Amino acid sequence: MYSQGLIGSGEQTTETPEFLAAFQARIDADEKIEPNDPMPAAYRNTLIRQIGQHAHSEIVGMLPEGNWITRAPTLRRKAALLAKVQDEGGHGLYLYSAAETLGVSRKQMTEELVSGKAKYSSIFNYPTQTWADIGAIGWLVDGAAIMNQVPLCRCSYGPYARAMIRVCKEESFHQRQGYEIMLKLAEGSPAQKEMAQDALNRWWWPSLMMFGPPDGESEHSDQSTRWKIKRFTNDELRQKFVDATVPQAQRLGLSLPDPALAWNEVEGRYDYGEIDWDEFWAVVKGHGPLNKARVAARKKAWEEGAWVREAALAHAKKRAARHTAAIAAE
Amino acid sequence: MSEAEEIPLWEVFIRPRNGLAHRHCGSLHAADAEMALQAARDVYTRRGEGLSVWVIPSAQIVASDPQDRDLLFDPADDKIYRHPSFYNIPDDVGHM
């Protein structure tokens, strides 16, 4: 953030048609919007919601994978998974700091997450049952995230775009380590290959759901596109992901759990089957397998860390007071 | 912790290597300078991004107002005589 507090991020913008047109003209000219710039309240609020959800997703995303750190099959896998989970934590922090430039506080965002009010990516409400799930997550979930995030590097809001550049640089290792895990299992014993296939079966559809509801049902899409927060629609990104992923699955010798999946010669893309949107909305609304456990884990960490935050602040104040006293005594 | 109290915000600047200036890369929350430095190391330099880190309390930064942009920076726009290409030097003088 860049001292957004100095020039009143809470300041009301006067949203006359002239103001909105001038803002749109800046966007159309591909100018980046920076924290202290005048911006429509709806632009600010859309970004606060989107960046906040994105940050929460990174933080909650540490939980399903953290589940396997102590049980990784080799030291090499363990070191990689630990580094990956640490990256997710870092990504959450870059994103929280980008959201804070818009005038929302970290504390406010954390409280919304632990109270269950804030949303995060619904994929993290599914359990990681076997080691192959770690492979499938890296390959598919991080793969889908990259599809979403690469265009965000060109988002009109400067701090978000800059955070996404760092995130994308780091995510590529995540996807590769996941695919490598899948490859090893797919080339292993029949039981190992079966484990990889089972993980793919369970993660494929939720991965497709990560791109959000189909175009036309997505309430925020049009305005976000005009403001260049979004560069592609949900369905466009989903299609790119399917087209990129099908050959990767073939290379693994695994099959995707979709009988309707077929190459469409005319369109030059893969057709895929109907997504179960009822399942998607149920998970978004809190009825996924692990929604309650995920929020409870964050709440526990937040509450049990309260004394540490308190002690750190008390220590800082005591040292500052001693320093002042020492200077006064000289 | 007194629930109203926020842990202070710090801006992080990193020098990628000697010979380059420190560059702003983001911010973080920390109770004091020492913890801010440690957190900056963990959050912003996991892949050899830096040789030196500065952390500065965000509240200490004074920023210009974007609304004053024209007032502050326009006067430089019409002073083309501040640029070397404004001056006519014959080719036979050679590079100058």
Side-chain angles (χ1 to χ4, degrees):
Chain A
M1 79 117 241
Y2 318 136
S3 330
Q4 83 276 3
L6 294 175
I7 306 161
S9 46
E11 174 189 54
Q12 286 295 316
T13 47
T14 5
E15 301 193 4
T16 58
E18 292 74 29
F19 171 79
L20 293 173
F23 183 76
Q24 189 62 50
R26 290 191 62 192
I27 299 279
D28 293 343
D30 272 331
E31 271 188 51
K32 293 284 182 205
I33 307 302
E34 294 294 341
N36 292 336
D37 289 349
M39 62 183 91
Y43 178 83
R44 183 186 302 280
N45 293 334
T46 299
L47 281 165
I48 288 176
R49 195 192 63 243
Q50 179 172 336
I51 303 173
Q53 285 180 8
H54 197 158
H56 295 324
S57 301
E58 301 282 356
I59 298 297
V60 176
M62 291 194 283
L63 298 170
E65 294 186 293
N67 180 35
W68 278 92
I69 290 174
T70 56
R71 293 176 289 163
T74 66
L75 191 55
R76 180 176 185 271
R77 296 282 179 219
K78 187 176 188 162
L81 183 57
L82 197 56
K84 178 181 190 296
V85 172
Q86 195 187 12
D87 274 353
E88 308 297 4
H91 297 174
L93 296 180
Y94 309 155
L95 287 161
Y96 280 131
S97 85
E100 285 177 273
T101 65
L102 292 157
V104 64
S105 77
R106 175 76 59 91
K107 198 159 173 286
Q108 203 177 329
M109 286 188 282
T110 308
E111 281 166 358
E112 284 186 5
L113 177 64
V114 301
S115 74
K117 188 177 164 228
K119 299 272 181 257
Y120 52 86
S121 183
S122 57
I123 192 105
F124 300 119
N125 292 314
Y126 291 86
T128 39
Q129 297 171 358
T130 70
W131 170 249
D133 288 24
I134 300 307
I137 288 182
W139 171 37
L140 299 173
V141 177
D142 287 84
I146 291 169
M147 265 324 160
N148 253 323
Q149 289 169 346
V150 167
L152 287 173
C153 296
R154 293 188 296 129
C155 162
S156 61
Y157 188 57
Y160 192 25
R162 292 192 285 276
M164 290 321 302
I165 290 169
R166 293 184 66 92
V167 168
C168 286
K169 264 190 204 163
E170 299 181 354
E171 290 275 359
S172 145
F173 128 64
H174 298 179
Q175 192 186 16
R176 289 171 64 104
Q177 69 91 36
Y179 193 77
E180 197 194 79
I181 290 172
M182 293 300 273
L183 197 60
K184 207 74 179 172
L185 290 170
E187 289 171 346
S189 68
Q192 287 171 327
K193 185 169 181 182
E194 179 48 40
M195 190 194 274
Q197 181 64 57
D198 168 63
L200 174 53
N201 292 348
R202 283 181 291 107
W203 289 95
W204 174 248
W205 290 107
S207 299
L208 293 191
M209 293 175 198
M210 281 178 72
F211 296 95
D215 301 352
E217 279 179 39
S218 172
E219 49 181 322
H220 307 296
S221 221
D222 290 350
Q223 187 57 65
S224 288
T225 306
R226 276 195 293 278
W227 278 334
K228 295 190 184 171
I229 295 171
K230 262 182 107 127
R231 298 273 180 168
F232 296 97
T233 70
N234 295 352
D235 285 337
E236 283 169 346
L237 291 169
R238 190 165 14 242
Q239 186 67 53
K240 275 158 95 94
F241 175 71
V242 171
D243 292 343
T245 310
V246 172
Q248 294 166 356
Q250 286 166 346
R251 175 65 180 77
L252 291 173
L254 300 176
S255 57
L256 292 167
D258 179 0
L261 190 80
W263 177 250
N264 182 327
E265 192 68 56
V266 183
E267 302 285 343
R269 59 169 164 77
Y270 285 94
D271 290 333
Y272 53 92
E274 190 67 33
I275 293 171
D276 181 356
W277 292 111
D278 291 341
E279 175 182 327
F280 172 76
W281 287 115
V283 179
V284 168
K285 290 183 177 139
H287 308 299
L290 289 173
N291 294 56
K292 289 190 177 67
R294 297 299 187 223
V295 173
R298 289 311 312 156
K299 190 163 191 280
K300 183 168 181 272
W302 177 245
E303 286 170 357
E304 291 181 355
W307 72 270
V308 179
R309 297 190 294 276
E310 191 180 348
L313 278 174
H315 182 65
K317 276 184 196 150
K318 190 173 78 182
R319 287 220 303 195
R322 273 192 198 147
H323 183 67
T324 315
I327 288 172
E330 271 171 20
Chain B
M1 151 166 120
S2 71
E3 280 303 321
E5 200 166 5
E6 277 263 14
I7 294 180
L9 193 60
W10 301 72
E11 298 305 312
V12 180
F13 298 79
I14 289 178
R15 173 158 59 206
R17 55 176 194 272
N18 282 2
L20 296 178
H22 285 76
R23 190 170 172 182
H24 184 255
C25 67
S27 60
L28 51 79
H29 290 270
D32 62 27
E34 196 183 329
M35 292 178 77
L37 264 184
Q38 284 172 359
R41 200 281 309 253
D42 290 344
V43 176
Y44 292 105
T45 65
R46 287 193 303 282
R47 286 175 177 77
E49 288 91 339
L51 295 178
S52 167
V53 183
W54 289 350
V55 289
I56 293 151
S58 305
Q60 298 291 317
I61 291 181
V62 180
S64 65
D65 187 333
Q67 319 247 30
D68 291 343
R69 188 169 67 178
D70 294 350
L71 181 78
L72 291 172
F73 307 113
D74 265 9
D77 285 351
D78 58 3
K79 295 180 178 57
I80 51 170
Y81 46 85
R82 285 180 173 167
H83 297 279
S85 55
F86 180 76
Y87 301 94
N88 297 316
I89 304 291
D91 286 348
D92 59 302
V93 177
H95 177 73
M96 184 181 280

